[in-house]
Amino acid sequence: MKLNLGTKLFLSNLAVLLVGMLVLVIVAQFSLVGAYGRHMAMMNGLGIGSGMGNVPGTGMGRGQGGLGQAGGAAFLNFRSGFYEALAWAGLAALAVALVASLLMSRALAAPLRAMMTASQRVAEGHYTERVPAGGSDELGQLAGRFNSMAEKLEQVETMRRRLIGDVAHEMRTPLTAIKGSMEGLVDGVLPASPQTFDQVAAEAERLNRLVDDLQEHSRVESGAIVMDLEPVSLAEVAGMACKRLERAYTTKDVSLTLDLPVALPPVRADADRLLQVLTSLLHNALQYTPAGGSVSLSVERRGQEVFVRVADTGIGIPPEHVQQIFERFYRVDKSRSRQAGGGSGIGLTIAKHLVETRGGRLWAESAGEGLGSTFTFTLPLK
Ligand SMILES: Nc1ncnc2c1ncn2[C@@H]1O[C@H](COP(=O)(O)OP(=O)(O)OP(=O)(O)O)[C@@H](O)[C@H]1O
Ligand SMILES: [Mg+2]
């Protein structure tokens, strides 16, 4: 037979009660005679009452002296009265205990039943489902944990939906451009010139980059990338990153300076990933700094951490955007960054994930629009 938790609790309470009552009756039966005798003797000693007589089955009366037939009858009457009172008391206790146990079992089983229903709803995809959480006992804690689990699932679901929406949105622009150019070519509205084909190729390249970025982002976010940790000379990697972008900086007429401390112990990191983060930051600095500006890359040791800083004299970041630029696809000015090289807004998201995976932090500071920006990341030395 399948019993639910409430019934089981009720039955176990009932069993405890019945055992208690049984013990009560047995102990009363055994102790009644002795207790009665003692109390009567005390009464006789004080000169009260008529004596005990021959208490049947105990052999007690004879030794007490002076107790007659009337005493024995009194005991039998007392015993019947006692059992009668005990029976009434037992019935009343049973009734009260049944009601109390029923209420208690229901109160205990109700939150569990609510959680069962809610977990079923969550399993069906209703992530907004919550259970009433209250109380500091285990049930209250369980309800609290259930709610936070449902909240996390809801966040993941929201992120998933947003990601699909964002990706669709990001793909639409280059696809629309390619489609427009192709239609123009077919209709003869656009000339079949190298510029037209270059434009199509550039949009296709943008799509390609977006797909690469997304793939990299999903690998980083899911923790699928394996960091090949080894002692890395930051000076060497910083030098490599600067070298990579040297030409681009010269072409745009933005100066790039590298400031390294004299003695810097090697950091434990994945050299390729470190180079990727530095390149991403230097690339941004170049992208968002007008010609004639300057960018500096500096490294500093503070305690058991190294601080790597990329500071530029570029367009800066309005304070309300400083936090958000690390979000996927977030760009301060979408149209501007498209014209200025067409970033998809994933670079910083990947860089932050990479730094955090290695136990560091990455943040941005800017005094405001037109006042330059500083990106700093830390890496633990150990
Ligand atoms: N040095 C900087 N100065 C000013 N704004 C910046 C700077 N670096 C980043 N930003 C802002 O942060 C946004 C997000 O940067 P992120 O590197 O993530 O994307 P992106 O450069 O637009 O594209 P990509 O994915 O190709 O890197 C940028 O679009 C830009 O608005
Ligand atoms: Mg970028």
Side-chain angles (χ1 to χ4, degrees):
M1 193 172 51
K2 253 174 90 177
L3 294 174
N4 64 30
L5 184 66
T7 315
K8 278 186 190 162
L9 279 170
F10 175 70
L11 289 179
S12 67
N13 279 348
L14 194 65
V16 171
L17 183 76
L18 289 177
V19 169
M21 282 172 71
L22 193 69
V23 172
L24 185 79
V25 171
I26 293 171
V27 174
Q29 177 133 41
F30 280 112
S31 59
L32 185 63
V33 173
Y36 182 79
R38 238 184 3 264
H39 282 270
M40 289 314 283
M42 245 161 61
M43 218 168 69
N44 285 339
L46 292 172
I48 319 165
S50 62
M52 186 152 176
N54 195 4
V55 179
T58 64
M60 201 187 236
R62 263 180 280 277
Q64 308 283 328
L67 302 173
Q69 208 58 24
F75 172 75
L76 290 177
N77 274 325
F78 165 75
R79 195 171 66 173
S80 320
F82 174 76
Y83 282 134
E84 194 181 316
L86 200 63
W88 282 117
L91 275 177
L94 191 67
V96 171
L98 282 183
V99 173
S101 155
L102 203 66
L103 293 178
M104 263 167 50
S105 321
R106 281 210 180 145
L108 270 173
L112 287 172
R113 206 169 299 135
M115 258 180 271
M116 209 170 73
T117 317
S119 62
Q120 182 63 33
R121 297 260 309 153
V122 169
E124 284 162 7
H126 304 279
Y127 298 109
T128 47
E129 199 69 29
R130 299 288 181 277
V131 290
S136 53
D137 59 2
E138 285 85 344
L139 274 178
Q141 286 174 17
L142 183 63
R145 301 247 166 100
F146 177 88
N147 285 345
S148 58
M149 182 196 74
E151 200 173 309
K152 289 244 167 68
L153 285 172
E154 192 185 354
Q155 280 170 7
V156 171
E157 178 62 11
T158 313
M159 263 172 65
R160 192 183 66 84
R161 286 210 187 122
R162 229 181 65 195
L163 175 64
I164 294 174
D166 286 349
V167 171
H169 175 84
E170 291 299 319
M171 292 189 127
R172 191 171 296 129
T173 317
L175 277 176
T176 310
I178 293 172
K179 193 167 164 252
S181 301
M182 292 323 251
E183 281 170 0
L185 278 167
V186 171
D187 295 347
V189 182
L190 276 179
S193 65
Q195 282 104 309
T196 312
F197 293 123
D198 277 351
Q199 219 173 319
V200 174
E203 293 297 346
E205 174 54 28
R206 188 202 292 279
L207 266 179
N208 200 21
R209 236 185 15 233
L210 177 66
V211 172
D212 285 349
D213 282 354
L214 275 172
Q215 208 171 18
E216 171 80 352
H217 172 257
S218 90
R219 268 193 297 163
V220 172
E221 200 166 55
S222 66
I225 54 152
V226 185
M227 289 262 185
D228 188 8
L229 297 182
E230 54 186 354
V232 174
S233 155
L234 246 174
E236 218 169 89
V237 178
M240 264 160 80
C242 289
K243 210 160 189 78
R244 257 192 184 183
L245 290 160
E246 209 176 350
R247 277 245 329 252
Y249 270 79
T250 323
T251 312
K252 199 180 172 184
D253 187 26
V254 175
S255 74
L256 174 61
T257 52
L258 176 59
D259 182 13
L260 292 167
V262 188
L264 189 67
V267 287
R268 255 184 80 72
D270 181 321
D272 288 342
R273 297 298 175 182
L274 189 56
L275 184 63
Q276 186 182 350
V277 172
L278 276 172
T279 311
S280 184
L281 293 181
L282 286 175
H283 190 268
N284 277 353
L286 174 65
Q287 197 170 359
Y288 303 107
T289 302
S294 62
V295 175
S296 74
L297 167 60
S298 56
V299 182
E300 192 191 336
R301 181 185 175 168
R302 278 195 216 162
Q304 285 309 306
E305 275 182 325
V306 273
F307 282 62
V308 183
R309 187 165 289 131
V310 176
D312 64 54
T313 58
I315 60 169
I317 306 160
E320 65 272 23
H321 296 283
V322 169
Q323 295 287 329
Q324 282 143 295
I325 54 171
F326 296 98
E327 284 172 21
R328 189 173 48 214
F329 297 124
Y330 196 88
R331 293 181 297 252
V332 174
D333 180 347
K334 300 208 173 199
S335 58
R336 186 179 56 193
S337 55
R338 275 200 195 294
Q339 284 155 11
S344 50
I346 307 184
L348 285 177
T349 317
I350 295 174
K352 194 173 163 78
H353 266 295
L354 287 174
V355 169
E356 285 174 357
T357 307
R358 185 54 209 104
R361 290 161 285 141
L362 167 62
W363 69 94
E365 286 157 303
S366 175
E369 250 178 298
L371 297 170
S373 328
T374 305
F375 285 80
T376 313
F377 71 87
T378 64
L379 283 179
L381 272 172
K382 289 276 157 73

